[in-house]
Amino acid sequence: MYVIFNVMEHLNGLNDMQKEAAIHINGPLLIVAGAGAGKTKTITHRIVNLIKNGVAPEKILAVTFTNKAAKEMRERVIAEIEKNAKGQDKIPFVSTFHSLGVYIIKENAHILGLTKYFTILDDGDTTSIVKEIMKELNVDPKQYDPRKIKNIISREKGKFIKLENYAERVENSNDYVGKIVAEVWKKYEAKKNQENSLDFDDLLLKAVTLLKENEVVRKYYQEKWDYIHIDEYQDTNEVQYLMSKLLAENNKNICVVGDADQNIYSWRGANLKNILSFEKDYKDAKIVTLEQNYRSTQNILEAANEIIKKNKYRPDKNLFTKNAQGEKISLYEAVEESDEADFVATKIIELWDKSVSSVGSNFSQVLGSPRPSVPLRARPDHSKSSTDDANILSEIAILYRANFQSRILEEALLRYNIPYQVLGIKFFERKEIKDTLAYLRAALNPENLSDIKRIINFPARGIGKTTLLKLFSGEKDNLPIKMLIKINNFYELLNEIKNKIETEKISDVIKFVIKKTGIENELLEGGEEGAERLENIKELVTLALKYDNLEEGRGAEKLLEDASLASDQDSIMLSEEKNKEKVNGVKLMTVHASKGLEFKYVFITGLEDGLFPHSKMGDSKSAEDSEEERRLFYVALTRAKEKLFLSFANFRTIFGSRQINSPSEFITDIPPDIIERGDDNPNVKTIYI
């Protein structure tokens, strides 16, 4: 197809270094992109430049870590193509690593012995299976945490370690836990194979195994995509590293983007050496460093640079900005955690009232009523005026190192009637959503016993645990006639749902499921809580509308895939898209969850030695752990655009024990001339350091 491009327009708005990266075409390219340096913009313009130079869009692959990032990149690429090209109707393949794995596996399911409708197990599913297996092996779950056993299996698979290799390694060792893991792992894999299901790790492991061991498959995808882009390369594990290397093996046209200073997921298997060794892996690699930050003030960047420069394992990089100097960083020393929470809430009130006064009104005039007394996430509705005023609140984030810290902060926000939302509550992990989707999954893959067990007696059908044991142990013929009728009716219902999936729109299928199964009546009889759960399912129906244009059967398949692969950030994005009013509140989240986000105002709480930087009880802190904690704080600092608030408590109760704390070492690393050590508010006490 003949395409006409505006010659230089696609490079408008790029700085010199961004432009240098964007115009690079052939050969390996490493873009070292600091926080807020416009990496997505650079990748987008590079892709457009490739198309401008005659590369077919379908020959370009871009891989990210979250659906949110993939969606943003896809939309930007489409917008740039529409702006700079006429008549182009194809776009690059943009996906997450796991979605790419699903794509490759589905195209080659027969090679792997899978059916088309294999089930993707989520975290809860895998933990439940591990628990069941441990029961079978008479392993005490109180002594050996099933989640820990599952995490060990996941970690080893992420290193591309196979079961037989792991079992051989621990067989002749004194690693008793390892031997338990090997036994559980063996049964775990057998169970998944039997039920035509895969876990998250399998989505990458099996795809990479195909690429590595099947030459025909490998060559097909190497020829399919001539240009490979990998975002957040510093967060890749061994399997993801192998996947990108195998795909780019043929022509070496691989562009990776990342920042060693933002490597914060080693506990998930992320390997820092992947980005640090890029030049060794690709001898003729071009390196472009993006150091100009467009997000934060000079004071915030100065603090971030001072923090991160103490790390040894990092490339030489120093962020700068042309933004204003900005406000100094506020530091508050609290007596205890409740005092710290009050400080945070009081400061938010100040920001809120300041926002109101800036539009020439007082608080009561703008809102017309007192601040809401219920957290926004639990409130069904509020007025437009309060929504307009609360916009400032959505620009505020409270970050913490550990999830337990949110409780005292939530209590303070409730006390001060400040709307808020806790990031990390996944929409797709709500019971009512999982129940509804389980019916769809079971209809497509009735071999998956996890889904069958979940829904066969929900809503109640009089099928008890004893019946289930007989059913799943092959003793179905020994069941009473009445019970057999109930079971047959259940499976006939699944067949009916499957027929609907193959012939009707997925949004209509979900409506059918909640009515026909009795879920709707069950929830309507459940009072206020039940009504709220039903509202969530209605939101699922709304979400399903965007899959209605897909061919019969494909809508359900894609919805289930996206639901299984959704991250915390993806879930919050979904909520924002579907009901913007409900999310105009202060965001509470761990620092890990804040990665990739930005806010005008950021509170970083709990800056105490042992909490942030974090040290696990009884564990000695390694140099690698110390550096990762410093990188984590660096990420926290660089989420802020205009103002940073830091706080710590001299006393904090953790696991029922009241502790005396020392301030975090990070505080002393920040230049004192950019720290505000006082507070003009007479109602807030500041203890000088």
Side-chain angles (χ1 to χ4, degrees):
M1 180 178 293
Y2 183 70
V3 180
I4 302 173
F5 281 89
N6 297 323
V7 180
M8 291 299 292
E9 189 177 340
H10 69 289
L11 297 178
N12 288 348
L14 299 184
N15 64 36
D16 290 344
M17 299 310 293
Q18 290 172 333
K19 196 174 293 184
E20 186 177 343
I23 63 176
H24 179 82
I25 296 178
N26 293 315
L29 171 66
L30 168 61
I31 304 174
V32 179
K39 64 168 185 169
T40 303
K41 182 179 182 180
T42 305
I43 298 175
T44 300
H45 284 76
R46 181 176 191 270
I47 290 172
V48 172
N49 188 67
L50 288 171
I51 299 171
K52 175 188 179 296
N53 282 273
V55 178
E58 63 270 25
K59 302 292 282 185
I60 301 171
L61 170 68
V63 186
T64 69
F65 270 81
T66 67
N67 291 320
K68 179 184 177 186
K71 181 176 183 288
E72 182 185 355
M73 187 180 295
R74 192 180 297 110
E75 288 175 347
R76 287 198 190 186
V77 168
I78 291 171
E80 289 296 326
I81 290 175
E82 288 177 348
K83 187 167 61 175
N84 291 285
K86 295 179 181 179
Q88 183 59 260
D89 58 354
K90 294 184 178 179
I91 63 170
F93 191 102
V94 184
S95 79
T96 64
F97 268 109
H98 287 93
S99 292
L100 177 59
V102 171
Y103 177 80
I104 293 172
I105 290 168
K106 282 192 173 181
E107 287 203 328
N108 301 276
H110 62 286
I111 299 175
L112 297 167
L114 293 165
T115 68
K116 180 183 177 183
Y117 296 119
F118 62 83
T119 296
I120 301 173
L121 302 172
D122 63 20
D123 188 64
D125 295 329
T126 55
T127 303
S128 296
I129 292 172
V130 168
K131 280 182 180 176
E132 285 182 20
I133 293 169
M134 288 174 67
K135 276 186 185 178
E136 293 173 15
L137 296 172
N138 293 317
V139 178
D140 187 359
K142 293 180 181 178
Q143 188 175 0
Y144 302 98
D145 184 1
R147 190 169 290 276
K148 187 176 179 180
I149 299 291
K150 184 207 72 174
N151 289 342
I152 293 172
I153 295 172
S154 179
R155 184 189 67 206
E156 295 299 315
K157 290 168 77 171
K159 294 177 185 175
F160 206 64
I161 303 295
K162 294 185 177 181
L163 168 60
E164 52 268 28
N165 301 125
Y166 181 83
E168 187 179 344
R169 190 178 81 204
V170 301
E171 186 179 359
N172 299 315
S173 71
N174 295 320
D175 185 358
Y176 185 67
V177 174
K179 291 176 181 178
I180 292 174
V181 170
E183 286 187 70
V184 173
W185 190 352
K186 185 178 179 181
K187 283 184 170 290
Y188 175 68
E189 293 300 326
K191 199 170 188 68
K192 287 194 288 105
N193 290 337
Q194 182 185 345
E195 297 183 4
N196 192 42
S197 60
L198 301 176
D199 62 25
F200 269 28
D201 300 303
D202 293 328
L203 302 180
L204 300 177
L205 195 62
K206 289 190 179 294
V208 171
T209 301
L210 270 172
L211 293 171
K212 190 177 176 69
E213 298 178 358
N214 192 310
E215 187 179 359
V216 175
V217 172
R218 182 171 66 254
K219 284 187 175 180
Y220 172 79
Y221 291 105
Q222 287 175 346
E223 292 173 4
K224 183 179 179 68
W225 296 304
D226 289 337
Y227 291 86
I228 315 295
H229 300 76
I230 308 294
D231 194 14
E232 303 288 3
Y233 195 64
Q234 78 280 347
D235 291 331
T236 53
N237 62 19
E238 188 65 23
V239 179
Q240 290 159 338
Y241 166 80
L242 284 170
M243 178 182 278
S244 58
K245 196 170 184 181
L246 287 164
L247 289 172
E249 184 180 57
N250 196 34
N251 52 32
K252 303 291 191 297
N253 289 329
I254 181 171
C255 169
V256 305
V257 187
D259 183 8
D261 293 337
Q262 297 188 69
N263 171 260
I264 60 174
Y265 294 113
S266 66
W267 49 279
R268 287 184 183 173
N271 195 337
L272 185 59
K273 77 172 179 64
N274 292 347
I275 191 168
L276 295 178
S277 303
F278 187 82
E279 291 174 82
K280 291 181 181 178
D281 291 336
Y282 302 93
K283 302 295 183 185
D284 56 344
K286 181 179 179 63
I287 314 296
V288 178
T289 304
L290 307 183
E291 294 179 294
Q292 184 174 351
N293 175 285
Y294 293 89
R295 176 186 299 157
S296 307
T297 64
Q298 291 184 33
N299 281 336
I300 292 170
L301 286 189
E302 185 179 350
N305 285 331
E306 288 298 314
I307 287 294
I308 203 63
K309 75 179 186 181
K310 287 195 172 185
N311 275 4
K312 179 181 176 181
Y313 301 106
R314 63 183 296 267
D316 187 23
K317 173 171 61 67
N318 200 62
L319 289 183
F320 71 94
T321 185
K322 294 180 180 179
N323 294 338
Q325 193 73 31
E327 294 185 54
K328 289 187 176 183
I329 297 169
S330 293
L331 177 65
Y332 183 72
E333 179 180 359
V335 177
E336 57 185 7
E337 62 263 47
S338 60
D339 179 25
E340 179 187 44
D342 279 345
F343 162 75
V344 172
T346 304
K347 279 298 179 185
I348 290 171
I349 293 289
E350 287 182 18
L351 294 170
W352 197 352
D353 288 343
K354 185 179 177 181
S355 170
V356 173
S357 62
S358 70
V359 294
S361 304
N362 61 40
F363 181 79
S364 59
Q365 288 174 328
V366 174
L367 291 185
S369 61
R371 293 187 182 93
S373 59
V374 189
L376 195 60
R377 63 191 176 102
R379 207 167 64 252
D381 191 24
H382 56 286
S383 69
K384 185 178 185 301
S385 58
S386 71
T387 298
D388 292 341
D389 182 64
N391 282 334
I392 184 65
L393 299 181
S394 63
E395 290 285 346
I396 301 172
I398 306 172
L399 309 184
Y400 36 82
R401 179 62 180 83
N403 277 303
F404 77 84
Q405 293 172 253
S406 74
R407 182 192 61 81
I408 196 73
L409 292 163
E410 287 190 69
E411 288 178 1
L413 295 175
L414 283 167
R415 193 161 56 251
Y416 284 88
N417 298 327
I418 299 171
Y420 71 92
Q421 184 176 47
V422 180
L423 182 65
I425 303 172
K426 292 186 182 183
F427 174 78
F428 292 110
E429 287 190 356
R430 297 180 183 275
K431 181 183 182 304
E432 61 275 13
I433 302 300
K434 293 192 73 169
D435 289 338
T436 305
L437 294 180
Y439 272 101
L440 300 180
R441 296 203 303 182
L444 293 172
N445 182 21
E447 293 176 357
N448 189 306
L449 298 186
S450 297
D451 287 325
I452 299 295
K453 287 176 184 176
R454 183 179 190 95
I455 59 174
I456 195 169
N457 200 43
F458 178 80
R461 298 184 176 87
I463 303 174
K465 289 183 180 180
T466 305
T467 301
L468 290 178
L469 285 171
K470 289 183 179 179
L471 179 64
F472 298 132
S473 62
E475 300 177 33
K476 182 180 176 181
D477 295 339
N478 296 329
L479 292 171
I481 296 294
K482 287 186 178 179
M483 191 58 67
L484 285 173
I485 292 172
K486 290 179 181 179
I487 292 169
N488 287 336
N489 287 341
F490 169 74
Y491 279 98
E492 283 176 10
L493 173 61
L494 293 185
N495 281 328
E496 195 172 355
I497 294 170
K498 185 180 181 182
N499 290 332
K500 294 277 184 185
I501 288 172
E502 292 173 348
T503 57
E504 298 183 13
K505 296 176 179 178
I506 183 58
S507 60
D508 291 332
V509 175
I510 295 173
K511 292 176 186 176
F512 172 81
V513 167
I514 62 175
K515 283 187 177 295
K516 186 74 174 180
T517 62
I519 290 176
E520 185 176 43
N521 287 336
E522 179 86 4
L523 295 177
L524 286 173
E525 293 172 3
E528 199 172 314
E529 184 182 348
E532 188 176 334
R533 290 180 180 275
L534 188 58
E535 285 299 313
N536 289 331
I537 297 178
K538 289 179 180 178
E539 187 173 338
L540 178 64
V541 174
T542 303
L543 169 65
L545 290 172
K546 75 175 188 178
Y547 299 90
D548 280 350
N549 61 343
L550 298 176
E551 59 188 40
E552 287 83 358
R554 181 59 186 148
E557 189 181 343
K558 190 69 174 73
L559 170 63
L560 292 172
E561 180 185 316
D562 289 352
S564 298
L565 301 179
S567 69
D568 293 347
Q569 290 188 12
D570 298 326
S571 295
I572 201 78
M573 180 184 67
L574 169 66
S575 296
E576 288 175 344
E577 287 179 348
K578 297 303 171 187
N579 197 339
K580 293 182 183 294
E581 290 188 349
K582 287 188 179 182
V583 295
N584 277 323
V586 175
K587 304 295 191 292
L588 283 77
M589 69 194 81
T590 64
V591 180
H592 282 99
S594 75
K595 179 84 178 295
L597 304 178
E598 60 180 38
F599 303 89
K600 273 189 181 180
Y601 311 100
V602 172
F603 292 82
I604 306 175
T605 61
L607 285 170
E608 300 134 30
D609 188 42
L611 182 55
F612 201 1
H614 191 267
S615 59
K616 294 178 182 177
M617 203 174 293
D619 289 353
S620 57
K621 198 186 314 181
S622 67
E624 290 81 5
D625 290 338
S626 295
E627 290 213 352
E628 180 149 345
E629 286 296 306
R630 191 167 286 274
R631 291 194 296 269
L632 191 59
F633 187 56
Y634 172 84
V635 167
L637 292 171
T638 54
R639 298 312 92 197
K641 294 192 285 187
E642 294 184 11
K643 178 71 176 180
L644 266 170
F645 299 88
L646 310 180
S647 61
F648 68 97
N650 286 303
F651 300 91
R652 187 179 298 273
T653 303
I654 300 177
F655 301 120
S657 175
R658 190 163 176 80
Q659 300 178 5
I660 303 174
N661 305 310
S662 301
S664 170
E665 65 187 72
F666 299 150
I667 293 173
T668 57
D669 291 336
I670 299 174
D673 61 317
I674 63 172
I675 291 182
E676 267 182 337
R677 297 178 181 271
D679 198 313
D680 295 331
N681 186 346
N683 298 318
V684 178
K685 180 179 69 170
T686 300
I687 302 174
Y688 295 91
I689 299 175

